[in-house]
Structure formats: C-alpha cells, structure tokens
C-alpha cells in the first residue's frame, strides 16, 4: 500500500486543485444551510439571527404558487429527460448506418458543437428567431397564412421551446455515449444476421438496440436524479412574468426570493428542500443503475 502511494503520489497531487475548489465552492457554503432555520438578518449574521425552526418551510409550502412551481419543475425536467433519451439514440442509430466516414464525422461535429455554447448566446439567438415581429420562424409561418406566435410569451408554447432548444444544444453530447456503446457490439452478429437474410431494420431491432440496452438503462436511471433540475440558466435567460404559470421553476423561485426580494432564509429553505429531495432521487437512481445495469461508482 505504501509502495503504491509512493509511486502514485504525482496523481494524487494533481487532485489537490480540484479538491480545493470543491471544498471552497461546494462544501464551504453548506454552512449557510443554517439560514433555513433562522430569520436571517445579514447585520446579525449566523450567530445572532433569530432561530425560527421550521417556520420558513411552513411559510414556503403555504404560498399558493409553491406547488405550481414544483409541478413546473418536474414537468419540464421529465420532458427534457424523455427527449434526452430519444433524440441521441435515434441520432446514434442513424449515424451508425452512414458508411461515408467524412460525412459521418462532419455530422458528429456539427451536432456536438452547440454543447459548447452558453445559454446567454443560445438565448439571444432564440429571442431573435422566435420574435413575433421579426423572427424567421414567424416569417415562415406567415407564408402559410398563420398568425404570428409569441413563443417565449405564450404559456402553451414555452415548455416546448425549453425542451426543443435544450435538446438541440445537448443531444450531440449524449449521442457520443450511444455511439461508443455501438462499438462494443460484436460485428459477427451482423454477419450472421445477413446470412439469415435479415434486413437493416431487423438487424437494428434484434442486434443494435439489445446491444445498447445496458447503456440506455444506465442513462435512464441516472437521469432520475435530475427530476428537480429543470435548468436554471436556460429558464432564467428565456422566461418572463408572462410565462410564470408554466415556466417558473424552483431555481428561479429561489433566485427571486433570495436575490431580488432578499428573503434569504426562505430562499435557503426552498433550496434545502430541493437538495434533500434530489439527494434521495440520486441515491435511488444509482441503486437502480446498479440493480439493472450493474453500474457502480466505486
């Protein structure tokens, strides 16, 4: 053990900067959780602010909009999870059928590039192309005699805009995982299927998809941990008071309460509630991943 540590100490040394960042920016701020149980006043600090127990949680759940915000968060997150499973799988299957290597690699690069764009940039693009007066989407709709649609200000369309734009930005990254899964399938299975007269569709259904099944199950179970994470940065860039009914989520509620209304204790209570539920969901998702996909962290 000591000999191994001596030989691997440069690798452990490389971990120190990352560990320091995690300790300072992730674990250090956890001391502020105490605000959820106080009537926190910045002047008094943690030690002299009034202790109120669970009053902040009671207040939060007595608000008429709380359950609507929770439902919005779950609904948007589930829509994103579903789309985030279907789109990459379909794309990986289609790319797997491409035999021209330069074209396949070009498509992979193009669908992967949006992952590196920030939501500030993507949000600005969406605001322009979805504008009800000058946006290209409404221009195309007008060619067919349709009335302009305010996609970012309509409660009916806002969730679909969130899901589609999120998928456009991220599905290329997830596609790489499924393409990697395809490389683990034994080519001799396809050769045997051809000898038996199976067409490409049959090969996909009986060989490709079953070969991808462990990865699909793994990705699906691990995604359960993000049920309460609907994407603050995206929603914050695109939403407005007009779409609070269907677009307001837990993270934006915490932002408004904590930074705009300066209800620090209430915002901390909401954030703590989300963190506890997310911890439970992540624990369940990892157990399911181990149970059905034999996946382990350690």
């Amino acid at each position: 053990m000591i000999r191994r540590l001596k030989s691997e100490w440069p690798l452990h040394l490389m971990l120190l900067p990352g560990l320091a960042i995690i300790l300072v920016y992730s674990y250090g701020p956890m001391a502020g959780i105490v605000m959820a149980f106080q009537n926190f006043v910045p002047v008094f600090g943690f030690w002299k602010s009034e202790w109120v127990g669970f009053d902040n949680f009671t207040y939060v759940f007595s608000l008429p909009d709380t359950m609507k915000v929770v439902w919005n968060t779950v609904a948007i997150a589930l829509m994103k999870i579903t789309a985030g499973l279907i789109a990459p799988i379909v794309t990986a299957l289609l790319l797997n059928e491409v035999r021209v290597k330069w074209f396949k690699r070009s498509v992979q690069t193009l669908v992967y590039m949006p992952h590196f764009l920030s939501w500030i940039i993507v949000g600005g693009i969406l605001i322009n192309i979805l504008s009800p007066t000058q946006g290209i989407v409404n221009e195309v709709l007008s060619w067919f005699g349709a009335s302009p649609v305010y996609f970012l200000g309509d409660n009916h369309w806002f969730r679909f805009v969130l899901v589609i734009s999120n998928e456009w930005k991220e599905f290329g990254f997830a596609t790489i995982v499924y393409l990697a899964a395809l490389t683990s399938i034994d080519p001799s299975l396809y050769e045997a299927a051809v000898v038996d007269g199976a067409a490409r569709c049959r090969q996909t259904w009986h060989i490709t998809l079953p070969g991808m099944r462990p990865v699909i199950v793994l990705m699906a179970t691990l995604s359960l941990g993000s049920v309460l994470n609907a994407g603050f940065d995206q929603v914050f860039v695109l939403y407005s008071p007009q779409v609070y009914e269907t677009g307001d989520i837990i993270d934006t509620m915490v932002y408004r309460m904590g930074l705009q209304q300066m209800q620090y204790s209430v915002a901390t209570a909401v954030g703590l509630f989300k963190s506890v539920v997310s911890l439970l969901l992540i624990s369940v998702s990892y157990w399911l991943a181990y149970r059905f996909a034999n996946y382990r962290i350690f």
Side-chain angles (χ1 to χ4, degrees), residues 12-27:
H12 293 281
L13 192 63
M14 292 173 61
L15 291 175
L16 291 180
L19 289 174
I21 292 174
I22 292 176
L23 289 174
V24 172
Y25 293 103
S26 296
Y27 287 97

Side-chain angles (χ1 to χ4, degrees), residues 113-132:
M113 285 178 62
H115 171 75
F116 297 99
L117 298 177
S118 71
W119 274 113
I120 298 297
I121 297 174
V122 176
I125 295 172
L126 289 173
I127 290 171
N128 285 326
I129 67 175
L130 297 179
S131 170

Side-chain angles (χ1 to χ4, degrees), residues 153-220:
D154 190 325
N155 282 298
H156 175 73
W157 289 104
F158 186 70
R159 286 181 183 172
F160 295 102
V161 172
L162 292 178
V163 174
I164 294 172
S165 60
N166 180 78
E167 205 50 42
W168 170 80
K169 184 176 182 296
E170 301 295 344
F171 85 98
F173 182 81
T175 300
I176 296 175
V177 177
Y178 297 107
L179 286 173
L182 289 172
T183 61
S184 65
I185 300 176
D186 188 354
S188 63
L189 297 176
Y190 293 102
E191 296 172 0
V194 172
V195 172
D196 291 338
R200 298 301 300 179
C201 292
R202 288 289 184 180
Q203 293 177 35
T204 300
W205 182 257
H206 293 287
I207 299 176
T208 307
L209 285 175
M212 296 173 64
R213 185 182 301 154
V215 177
I216 295 174
V217 172
L218 174 63
M219 298 297 288

Side-chain angles (χ1 to χ4, degrees), residues 101-111:
K101 290 186 177 180
W102 68 265
F103 179 76
K104 180 178 181 179
R105 291 173 180 173
S106 299
V107 173
Q108 284 182 252
T109 302
L110 288 174
V111 300

Side-chain angles (χ1 to χ4, degrees), residues 240-256:
S240 64
Q242 294 170 289
V243 290
Y244 278 0
E245 182 179 346
T246 58
D248 195 18
I249 61 174
I250 294 176
D251 290 331
T252 53
M253 181 182 180
V254 171
Y255 170 81
R256 289 199 310 277

Side-chain angles (χ1 to χ4, degrees), residues 49-292:
S49 293
E50 179 187 3
W51 186 268
V52 296
F54 290 93
D55 288 356
N56 291 317
F57 295 91
T58 304
Y59 170 73
V60 168
F61 286 104
S62 67
L63 295 174
D65 294 334
T66 299
M67 296 313 299
K68 181 177 67 177
V69 169
V70 173
W71 166 246
N72 289 341
T73 305
V74 173
I76 294 172
L78 288 177
M79 291 170 68
K80 287 184 176 181
I81 290 172
T82 303
L85 289 173
I86 296 175
I89 293 173
V90 173
T91 305
L93 292 175
L94 292 175
L95 287 175
N96 189 52
E97 299 300 320
V98 177
R99 295 295 176 259
V100 182
K101 290 186 177 180
W102 68 265
F103 179 76
K104 180 178 181 179
R105 291 173 180 173
S106 299
V107 173
Q108 284 182 252
T109 302
L110 288 174
V111 300
Y112 183 55
M113 285 178 62
H115 171 75
F116 297 99
L117 298 177
S118 71
W119 274 113
I120 298 297
I121 297 174
V122 176
I125 295 172
L126 289 173
I127 290 171
N128 285 326
I129 67 175
L130 297 179
S131 170
T133 55
Q134 299 177 342
I136 187 173
V137 174
N138 278 299
E139 286 287 340
V140 173
L141 291 177
S142 66
W143 297 346
F144 299 95
S147 300
V149 179
Y150 189 12
F151 291 98
L152 297 179
D154 190 325
N155 282 298
H156 175 73
W157 289 104
F158 186 70
R159 286 181 183 172
F160 295 102
V161 172
L162 292 178
V163 174
I164 294 172
S165 60
N166 180 78
E167 205 50 42
W168 170 80
K169 184 176 182 296
E170 301 295 344
F171 85 98
F173 182 81
T175 300
I176 296 175
V177 177
Y178 297 107
L179 286 173
L182 289 172
T183 61
S184 65
I185 300 176
D186 188 354
S188 63
L189 297 176
Y190 293 102
E191 296 172 0
V194 172
V195 172
D196 291 338
R200 298 301 300 179
C201 292
R202 288 289 184 180
Q203 293 177 35
T204 300
W205 182 257
H206 293 287
I207 299 176
T208 307
L209 285 175
M212 296 173 64
R213 185 182 301 154
V215 177
I216 295 174
V217 172
L218 174 63
M219 298 297 288
T221 52
L222 293 181
S223 64
L224 293 178
S226 60
V227 168
L228 289 185
N229 185 16
F232 168 76
D233 43 0
Q234 180 196 19
V235 177
F236 181 71
V237 169
L238 297 176
Y239 88 143
S240 64
Q242 294 170 289
V243 290
Y244 278 0
E245 182 179 346
T246 58
D248 195 18
I249 61 174
I250 294 176
D251 290 331
T252 53
M253 181 182 180
V254 171
Y255 170 81
R256 289 199 310 277
M257 286 184 167
L259 296 182
Q260 292 184 339
Q261 301 173 11
M262 293 185 291
Q263 300 183 52
Y264 303 113
S265 296
V266 176
T268 305
V270 177
L272 180 58
F273 163 74
K274 177 193 171 184
S275 298
V276 171
V277 175
S278 296
L279 175 62
L280 295 175
L281 291 173
I282 290 172
S283 301
V284 171
S285 67
Y286 275 108
W287 180 83
L288 291 174
Y290 171 72
R291 177 68 175 79
F292 295 104

